[in-house]
Amino acid sequence: MNDWSSIQGHEQIKNDLRQLLAEKRLPHALLFTGIEGIGKNLTANVLAKVLFCSGEKEKPCNNCSSCRAFDAKNHPDFYCLEPEGKANNIKIEQIRQMQSQIALSPYLADKRVVIINDAETMNEAAENSLLKTLEEPTGDVVFILVTANKDLLLPTILSRCMKLYFAPLSEDEIKIILKSKYAVNEDKATVIAKLSGGSMKRAISFLDDDNFNLCQNAMDFLSKDLNAKDIWQISDEFSAMDKAKIKQWADFLQMIIRDLLLLQAGADDNLLYNRDKKDVLDKLIVNFSLNRLFNCQNLIENLVKRLSSNADLKLMMQDFMLSWREQK
Ligand SMILES: [Zn+2]
């Protein structure tokens, strides 16, 4: 049973949304941006619930038929799109299906709400199809697009949405959630909050002690000038590991690469996942041109794709390391 108080932090955004609702000025398309794991999706869901609620006073009332249907995850006027299938993207068929649904009048509430999670994974055909709907809204529909990577969306989509930027959570906010929802003790919560970079998703991954080491390992890997012996040795070590762990390691690598890209672009330190290791990042950046960073991103994406295949793990890691060494 979520309501506004379930959302940790983001006071300004909550106030803005409530004010827009009170003044009946909420736009029909919103875009929630900010790093992963900070409450964008939760906020989108609370907003949807409030929009549906038929309560007289404070919304959501948690009591009307809409609120109850929403909490039971079967509100007939709610539509949620997420990446699907092997390519893990949002396809035009999904958009079309949604469009035919929202063309019908709402059943239970007086409007429909569509949440599009990881909106940046829409392929171009899907984006263009959605764009038409955003340009000519049919009936009373509110769209909430959620993304950690808004720059991957078409500018024409961006220009149709009211953008709300969710800042990383503060260390205190992360600590409060870790202690209240995950029963983590004070000391551990303090350490994890520092490492979290303001992302609850990242904080949760550190509840697993192995991941502390994996994150450090990813940082060391990037600092390394790989020689042939390293390549065989590291590939050997990885081939004995669980695939899920390698995936986690690749995620950590990707987060560091993303930080380096942001640093190259002169972004604010606040946007970095690895804020606690800013000194290491500053040293790394010297060796990573923009071009090399993009190549590294591609290599990591490829590795993650291959991890879900049946290819030989050791060969896969050797390939990866060899190509990695070639990137200059
Ligand atoms: Zn209600």
Side-chain angles (χ1 to χ4, degrees):
M1 235 173 38
N2 287 322
D3 53 37
W4 293 112
S5 67
S6 318
I7 304 164
Q8 195 69 45
H10 308 305
E11 296 306 324
Q12 183 67 49
I13 288 181
K14 284 189 273 184
N15 286 339
D16 289 352
L17 286 173
R18 276 193 280 207
Q19 182 143 14
L20 287 166
L21 286 165
E23 295 168 1
K24 300 199 188 313
R25 287 195 300 121
L26 192 81
H28 79 278
L30 299 118
L31 179 73
F32 289 1
T33 71
I35 60 172
E36 280 184 40
I38 51 176
K40 300 187 298 296
N41 187 258
L42 174 61
T43 308
N45 274 277
V46 170
L47 178 59
K49 190 172 166 184
V50 170
L51 284 164
F52 289 139
C53 177
S54 59
E56 299 284 318
K57 291 176 186 158
E58 187 71 9
K59 293 184 181 186
C61 71
N62 288 325
N63 199 27
C64 69
S65 50
S66 263
C67 282
R68 276 180 282 142
F70 195 84
D71 285 333
K73 297 193 192 311
N74 59 12
H75 199 293
D77 304 319
F78 180 60
Y79 209 97
C80 183
L81 283 173
E82 277 172 335
E84 280 178 7
K86 234 182 170 174
N88 200 34
N89 61 5
I90 297 173
K91 297 159 192 70
I92 189 164
E93 293 76 25
Q94 291 170 265
I95 300 286
R96 288 202 179 120
Q97 207 176 5
M98 174 271 289
Q99 284 163 335
S100 62
Q101 284 287 317
I102 62 170
L104 309 166
S105 39
Y107 293 99
L108 189 55
D110 58 359
K111 60 176 69 60
R112 290 178 180 275
V113 179
V114 178
I115 292 182
I116 305 183
N117 275 324
D118 298 325
E120 78 283 358
T121 65
M122 280 187 282
N123 60 27
E124 205 175 327
E127 276 192 282
N128 281 317
S129 179
L130 175 68
L131 187 60
K132 283 194 201 106
T133 308
L134 294 181
E135 282 167 350
E136 297 162 21
T138 49
D140 207 347
V141 187
V142 175
F143 289 90
I144 310 171
L145 280 64
V146 178
T147 181
N149 255 321
K150 80 172 164 56
D151 297 333
L152 295 179
L153 285 163
L154 288 176
T156 38
I157 295 240
L158 295 178
S159 71
R160 291 276 158 190
C161 300
M162 184 177 98
K163 290 169 270 300
L164 288 177
Y165 166 69
F166 286 64
L169 296 171
S170 71
E171 284 178 19
D172 279 345
E173 284 162 348
I174 297 264
K175 259 171 79 173
I176 291 170
I177 305 175
L178 284 172
K179 282 158 61 178
S180 64
K181 284 201 183 153
Y182 296 88
V184 178
N185 68 36
E186 171 76 25
D187 287 351
K188 193 167 182 186
T190 306
V191 177
I192 294 180
K194 269 203 191 337
L195 287 168
S196 70
S199 160
M200 204 48 220
K201 186 177 173 183
R202 194 171 141 100
I204 292 166
S205 78
F206 284 123
L207 290 178
D208 179 347
D209 283 336
D210 281 357
N211 287 339
F212 269 118
N213 302 331
L214 277 179
C215 182
Q216 186 55 48
N217 184 311
M219 199 58 100
D220 293 345
F221 176 75
L222 283 173
S223 319
K224 238 185 165 86
D225 204 1
L226 292 174
N227 61 35
K229 195 175 152 235
D230 292 331
I231 292 180
W232 307 133
Q233 194 189 336
I234 300 174
S235 305
D236 247 8
E237 283 167 19
F238 273 94
S239 65
M241 271 164 62
D242 193 46
K243 274 186 176 179
K245 288 282 165 214
I246 302 179
K247 165 79 172 49
Q248 180 68 61
W249 178 78
D251 282 348
F252 284 134
L253 268 189
Q254 206 63 294
M255 286 187 210
I256 304 170
I257 298 288
R258 179 188 165 281
D259 281 353
L260 291 172
L261 278 167
L262 285 172
L263 280 178
Q264 286 278 16
D268 192 275
D269 286 3
N270 257 334
L271 294 169
L272 304 176
Y273 282 117
N274 299 280
R275 281 202 297 282
D276 60 309
K277 299 205 177 73
K278 177 75 181 2
D279 53 329
V280 185
L281 292 175
D282 281 337
K283 278 185 207 148
L284 278 175
I285 194 95
V286 184
N287 298 321
F288 285 85
S289 65
L290 213 48
N291 200 31
R292 186 176 178 202
L293 288 171
F294 286 129
N295 287 336
C296 291
Q297 268 190 331
N298 287 336
L299 283 177
I300 301 168
E301 271 168 33
N302 264 329
L303 174 68
V304 171
K305 265 186 216 150
R306 287 186 72 191
L307 278 172
S308 51
S309 73
N310 286 324
D312 182 81
L313 206 49
K314 194 164 170 178
L315 281 177
M316 195 192 301
M317 291 312 294
Q318 283 172 359
D319 274 357
F320 172 74
M321 302 281 166
L322 284 168
S323 321
W324 187 271
R325 191 172 61 164
E326 298 307 311
Q327 302 306 320
K328 281 280 155 11

